[in-house]
Amino acid sequence: METDTILENLKFHYTDSGIGSKTIILMHGWGCNHTTLASVERIALECGYRVINVDFPGFGDSEEPDDVWGVEQYTRVVEQLVRNLRITSPALLGHSFGGRVGILYASRNDVSKMILVDAAGIKPTRTLKYYWKVYTFKAMKRLMYLIYGKEKAELKLDARRAKAGSSDYAQASPKMRKILSKVVNEDLTDRLSLITAPTLLIWGENDTATPLKDAKKMEKLIPDAGLVSFPGCGHYSFLDNPGQFKAVLKSFLNS
């Protein structure tokens, strides 16, 4: 069932399917929406779960935030939804950016099970080339403010960011670009040891967006975690190897 509600003064869209006594919340990655996890939803329904599949604010049919949100604000929205629906101890599944929200949520709330699929949350190691690029851009920004004024300079800088950034960045609105820049620099490593729920990590071994070394670090720091990795799969391992993914997820949800 497609449903709209108001959370944090924004229209929030989600689907609510199944009538099981257990509930799982599915959280998509950046640039996606609830339809990306449709195949995962079907697996959870087969396992007898009630499935809440969300559109994060700024994606799908949910409204874009008014301010520059971080992982904290996105997590609060999910927490509010859980309270409103009177759900106790849900299972969580987060892909990519959804994994960030899952990590923060599970570190401070009761969760029955956690599934992190090619999840983000560990800040990448930066090279000297990266810092040179960042500080060069900041110097150029100050210079362009002096030459063009703030408003005109920001238009020119935003076009440059879109050209030089990732496809996720290029396709986002100006507000969502700022949010993306904020969330990708948030390191949730210190929250991992606070997760008490049994946790399944599912990863593509060829994932370049959230590399396998991140999964191994999560497995080490989350007290009750196990890792399954798929050779030849990338950042969307659940789509790259749907057969094995289904078998692994069903085994975990039914255990």
Side-chain angles (χ1 to χ4, degrees):
M1 180 176 66
E2 303 269 347
T3 305
D4 290 332
T5 188
I6 301 297
L7 300 176
E8 299 292 327
N9 297 316
L10 298 172
K11 185 186 84 169
F12 184 90
H13 182 80
Y14 65 97
T15 65
D16 188 345
S17 307
I19 55 173
S21 59
K22 301 172 291 184
T23 301
I24 186 169
I25 300 172
L26 307 185
M27 298 174 291
H28 62 79
W30 191 271
C32 302
N33 57 52
H34 75 277
T35 63
T36 309
L37 296 175
S39 61
V40 180
E41 181 175 329
R42 289 192 292 271
I43 297 169
L45 288 171
E46 288 179 17
C47 293
Y49 277 76
R50 175 189 180 188
V51 184
I52 308 296
N53 195 354
V54 307
D55 280 349
F56 281 125
F59 304 97
D61 291 326
S62 292
E63 283 186 309
E64 189 174 290
D66 295 327
D67 300 317
V68 179
W69 281 17
V71 179
E72 173 64 33
Q73 288 85 351
Y74 278 99
T75 304
R76 286 180 192 169
V77 164
V78 176
E79 289 172 333
Q80 187 176 343
L81 179 66
V82 168
R83 288 194 299 271
N84 290 356
L85 296 177
R86 298 181 180 179
I87 297 169
T88 58
S89 192
L92 301 179
L93 184 146
H95 170 245
S96 194
F97 170 72
R100 291 182 182 275
V101 177
I103 289 168
L104 186 54
Y105 185 104
S107 72
R108 65 193 193 196
N109 293 283
D110 184 27
V111 171
S112 62
K113 294 182 180 182
M114 168 103 105
I115 304 100
L116 296 175
V117 184
D118 302 295
I122 294 177
K123 189 175 180 179
T125 304
R126 304 299 191 183
T127 63
L128 287 175
K129 182 179 179 180
Y130 169 83
Y131 287 109
W132 171 260
K133 183 178 178 181
V134 168
Y135 289 118
T136 300
F137 186 84
K138 287 183 177 180
M140 182 182 68
K141 179 179 178 179
R142 288 195 291 269
L143 180 61
M144 290 181 72
Y145 271 30
L146 291 173
I147 296 172
Y148 298 107
K150 183 176 180 180
E151 187 174 344
K152 190 174 181 179
E154 277 298 331
L155 290 174
K156 291 179 176 292
L157 288 166
D158 202 48
R160 183 182 178 91
R161 291 187 190 101
K163 186 177 181 180
S166 66
S167 59
D168 282 341
Y169 187 91
Q171 294 169 14
S173 70
K175 176 62 65 62
M176 296 306 292
R177 287 174 185 173
K178 291 179 181 178
I179 291 174
L180 177 59
S181 295
K182 182 175 182 177
V183 299
V184 298
N185 286 299
E186 294 188 54
D187 189 2
L188 299 173
T189 303
D190 64 336
R191 310 303 299 182
L192 297 172
S193 63
L194 302 176
I195 297 171
T196 58
T199 301
L200 172 64
L201 306 165
I202 304 179
W203 236 262
E205 293 184 4
N206 294 347
D207 189 342
T208 56
T210 53
L212 186 60
K213 66 178 182 179
D214 289 359
K216 292 179 179 178
K217 187 171 185 178
M218 291 180 185
E219 183 185 26
K220 181 178 179 180
L221 294 176
I222 298 173
D224 186 8
L227 170 63
V228 177
S229 62
F230 299 150
C233 295
H235 190 54
Y236 290 80
S237 58
F238 62 100
L239 298 177
D240 292 341
N241 193 337
Q244 270 195 292
F245 179 87
K246 180 176 181 178
V248 170
L249 181 59
K250 286 189 75 170
S251 175
F252 183 69
L253 290 179
N254 289 329
S255 64

